[in-house]
Structure formats: structure tokens, C-alpha cells
């Protein structure tokens, strides 16, 4: 046999052995990987359907947790505070199963909230969002407030002695106003855009309000880095509101970085909860 033929035969043999080993490895992975993929696709399909029914407005926290759990199934990313580099931790099969089950549970909770009558006025949450009303306030209170506002407009003010200047108020926005961010990012997830559109519409109807947006981070990384990241998160939300017709003069932004946590930072899910932007309004004197 010629030398060239020997080399070719050896290469072919090596290729066959390599392919055979790879095939066996793939076959060993296939059952669980296929099952996991099917489960994740099923959960994601349900989430996509819920987005069409305004789940971001009706159950933002539950749907955010569900998505975060799904992301974690493929590994958890974090920044090593000592080396300031991004790392990824892959979780074992048992934890993958746990996370999938938890994700399915939170999707189920979110779905029930979408179809529930949160404010007990006979109208499901998603229908209230579609018709532009607040799903967290009963219809009777909405009507009473409308009548009160009409009365205030028609009633002439009576001046008696010195009139004190009204004090500018500070309170949470009268919507379920909070969005969460991916780790080490300030870009707004597309899933939250319909939610921000509702806030934009609300602010357009309440022209006497100024909005304050406060950005936060989790506890990972240095204080100086997180202060900048928190500000960028608030700034990203402001840019979106301005782009959609809200005057920049009505928007104040603050970055709080590593402070004012909702929960501790001991778990990745708690850290996700802390990575957020909260909305507040400041009453503007008439």
C-alpha cells in the first residue's frame, strides 16, 4: 500500500471514530436536552400570548421572574467583583428542572392576574388596559374622582386672607410602575415597551404631573460603577418617554446604585428584583 493511501485511510478511520464518539455523546444528551427545549418553548409561547393580553401591566413582577428563571436554565451570568470580568455559571440538571417548574408556576400566577378582576369592578385586568382605565382602582372610585375633579373645576376659589402656597407632593405613580433590567445592562427590554406606552398615555392625560424616575442596581460590582449604571437605567426610561411625546422638563432622573434594595442580594433572583427603575410623580401646583 502506498504511503498516501495509508495516510488517507488513517484520516478516514480517525474521522469515523470521532464522529462515532460525538454521536454517542449527542445521543446521551438528547433525551433531557430535547425535553428541556420543549418545556422552555411551551413556557415561552404562553408568555408571548400573555404579552398580547397586557401581562406587563397586570402582572409585571411575576412575568419578569418567570423570564429570569428561564434565562437561568441556560446559565447565570455575573461580574466577578475582584477581577471585574464577566463569568457564567452553568446549573445542574436538578436545578434546571426546579427553575422550569418555578417559571411555569409564575407564568400561571401571571395568567390568573391577567384574567382576574383586580379592583373588583367586574372588568378583567387586560380589558381595563385596552380601554385605557386603571385595573387597580374600582370603577366606583374612578367615577367619584371624575365627579370631584369636575366640581373643583366649576367651583370658584374664594380668597380669605393670606393664601398659603401649595406644597409640591411626592408619591408613587398611580400605576403599577416598575421595570426590571438584565444583569449589567441599561437597555429596556422590548417586553416592557407596551407597559411604558401605558405610562406615557397616562402622563399625557395628566399634564399637571412631573415624573421622577429612579434607577437602581444590585450589589455586584463597585459603587462608582453601579452609580453610573443606575443613572443610565433611569436615563434610558427618560429617553423613551421623551421620544414618545413627554416633555423633558417634566422628567427628573436619579441613579441610586447600591442602595435602597427591595430584598437582600443573597440569591440571583433577589438581585434581579433589585435591578429596576421605579416611577414617582410630583404634583405640580396649579
Amino acid at each position: 500500500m502506498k504511503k498516501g493511501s495509508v495516510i488517507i485511510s488513517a484520516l478516514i478511520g480517525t474521522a469515523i471514530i470521532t464522529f462515532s464518539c460525538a454521536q454517542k455523546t449527542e445521543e446521551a444528551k438528547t433525551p433531557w436536552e430535547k425535553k428541556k427545549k420543549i418545556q422552555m418553548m411551551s413556557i415561552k409561547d404562553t408568555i408571548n400570548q400573555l404579552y398580547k393580553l397586557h401581562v406587563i401591566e397586570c402582572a409585571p413582577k411575576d412575568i419578569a421572574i418567570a423570564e429570569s428563571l428561564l434565562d437561568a436554565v441556560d446559565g447565570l451570568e455575573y461580574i466577578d467583583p475582584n477581577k471585574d470580568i464577566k463569568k457564567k455559571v452553568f446549573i445542574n440538571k436538578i436545578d434546571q428542572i426546579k427553575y422550569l417548574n418555578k417559571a411555569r408556576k409564575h407564568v400561571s400566577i401571571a395568567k390568573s392576574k391577567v384574567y382576574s378582576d383586580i379592583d373588583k369592578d367586574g372588568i378583567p385586568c387586560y380589558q381595563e388596559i385596552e380601554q385605557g382605565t386603571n385595573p387597580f382602582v374600582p370603577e366606583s372610585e374612578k367615577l367619584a374622582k371624575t365627579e370631584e375633579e369636575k366640581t373643583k373645576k366649576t367651583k370658584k376659589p374664594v380668597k380669605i386672607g393670606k393664601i398659603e402656597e401649595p406644597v409640591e407632593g411626592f408619591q408613587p405613580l398611580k400605576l403599577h410602575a416598575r421595570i426590571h433590567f438584565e444583569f449589567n445592562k441599561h437597555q429596556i427590554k422590548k417586553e416592557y415597551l407596551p407597559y411604558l406606552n401605558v405610562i406615557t398615555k397616562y402622563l399625557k392625560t395628566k399634564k399637571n404631573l412631573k415624573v421622577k424616575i429612579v434607577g437602581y442596581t444590585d450589589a455586584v460590582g463597585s459603587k462608582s460603577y453601579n452609580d453610573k449604571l443606575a443613572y443610565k437605567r433611569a436615563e434610558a426610561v427618560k429617553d423613551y418617554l421623551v421620544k414618545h411625546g413627554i416633555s423633558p422638563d417634566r422628567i427628573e432622573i436619579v441613579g441610586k446604585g447600591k442602595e435602597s434594595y427591595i430584598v437582600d442580594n443573597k440569591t440571583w433572583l433577589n438581585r434581579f428584583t433589585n435591578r429596576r427603575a421605579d416611577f414617582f410623580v410630583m404634583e405640580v401646583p396649579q
Side-chain angles (χ1 to χ4, degrees):
M1 185 181 288
K2 294 181 179 180
K3 184 178 181 181
S5 300
V6 172
I7 294 173
I8 292 172
S9 298
L11 290 173
I12 292 173
T14 302
I16 292 173
I17 293 171
T18 302
F19 176 77
S20 177
C21 292
Q23 191 176 33
K24 288 180 180 179
T25 302
E26 185 62 28
E27 286 175 356
K29 291 181 179 179
T30 296
W32 166 240
E33 291 298 326
K34 278 188 175 182
K35 185 176 180 180
K36 181 179 73 174
K37 185 176 180 180
I38 292 171
Q39 290 185 21
M40 290 184 71
M41 286 179 62
S42 175
I43 296 172
K44 287 180 179 179
D45 285 344
T46 304
I47 289 175
N48 290 334
Q49 293 172 14
L50 290 176
Y51 274 124
K52 296 176 183 178
L53 295 172
H54 308 285
V55 71
I56 285 295
E57 296 91 335
C58 298
K61 183 176 180 181
D62 291 295
I63 207 66
I65 291 174
E67 288 185 312
S68 183
L69 286 163
L70 285 180
D71 290 341
V73 171
D74 289 326
L76 302 172
E77 289 188 348
Y78 72 100
I79 290 182
D80 187 332
N82 297 320
K83 299 181 180 180
D84 200 29
I85 59 174
K86 185 181 289 188
K87 293 185 177 180
K88 193 167 187 177
V89 177
F90 293 95
I91 61 177
N92 58 42
K93 179 180 176 181
I94 294 175
D95 285 334
Q96 288 178 7
I97 294 171
K98 288 179 180 178
Y99 287 176
L100 285 171
N101 288 336
K102 287 181 180 179
R104 194 178 292 107
K105 175 184 176 181
H106 282 283
V107 168
S108 178
I109 293 172
K111 184 175 182 179
S112 67
K113 289 182 179 180
V114 163
Y115 287 98
S116 67
D117 178 13
I118 298 174
D119 54 10
K120 307 299 180 184
D121 60 2
I123 307 173
C125 180
Y126 78 94
Q127 287 187 1
E128 290 223 42
I129 297 298
E130 288 179 353
Q131 67 187 26
T133 56
N134 190 335
F136 303 99
V137 179
E139 201 65 27
S140 58
E141 290 185 23
K142 296 171 192 171
L143 293 173
K145 187 174 181 180
T146 301
E147 291 300 321
E148 183 181 350
E149 289 176 352
K150 288 180 180 178
T151 303
K152 286 182 179 180
K153 289 180 180 179
T154 56
K155 187 177 179 181
K156 293 182 179 180
V158 178
K159 296 183 179 181
I160 303 176
K162 183 180 178 181
I163 301 178
E164 294 183 357
E165 289 294 324
V167 180
E168 200 169 79
F170 185 74
Q171 60 186 12
L173 187 65
K174 293 180 181 178
L175 288 173
H176 204 115
R178 173 179 293 158
I179 66 172
H180 297 269
F181 292 85
E182 296 290 351
F183 178 75
N184 200 33
K185 293 182 180 179
H186 63 272
Q187 292 81 8
I188 299 170
K189 295 181 69 176
K190 64 180 181 179
E191 290 84 359
Y192 285 109
L193 299 185
Y195 181 37
L196 291 180
N197 290 340
V198 172
I199 293 175
T200 302
K201 182 178 179 181
Y202 178 81
L203 291 175
K204 284 181 177 179
T205 62
K206 305 290 183 181
K207 298 185 182 295
N208 66 318
L209 297 182
K210 285 186 179 180
V211 64
K212 184 169 186 174
I213 304 166
V214 184
Y216 301 89
T217 67
D218 57 28
V220 180
S222 67
K223 182 181 185 304
S224 60
Y225 180 85
N226 278 278
D227 286 345
K228 293 176 183 177
L229 180 59
Y231 186 86
K232 286 181 180 179
R233 285 172 175 167
E235 188 176 42
V237 178
K238 176 182 178 179
D239 291 344
Y240 185 88
L241 296 180
V242 170
K243 183 179 178 181
H244 289 78
I246 305 301
S247 171
D249 296 334
R250 297 176 60 193
I251 306 171
E252 178 184 340
I253 58 176
V254 176
K256 288 200 172 182
K258 300 174 67 173
E259 59 178 280
S260 302
Y261 301 125
I262 298 176
V263 291
D264 62 50
N265 287 276
K266 294 180 180 179
T267 67
W268 70 267
L269 186 56
N270 285 4
R271 291 191 289 275
F272 172 80
T273 303
N274 288 326
R275 298 194 299 267
R276 68 198 192 278
D278 283 341
F279 297 75
F280 301 90
V281 295
M282 295 173 285
E283 296 285 352
V284 179
Q286 295 286 336

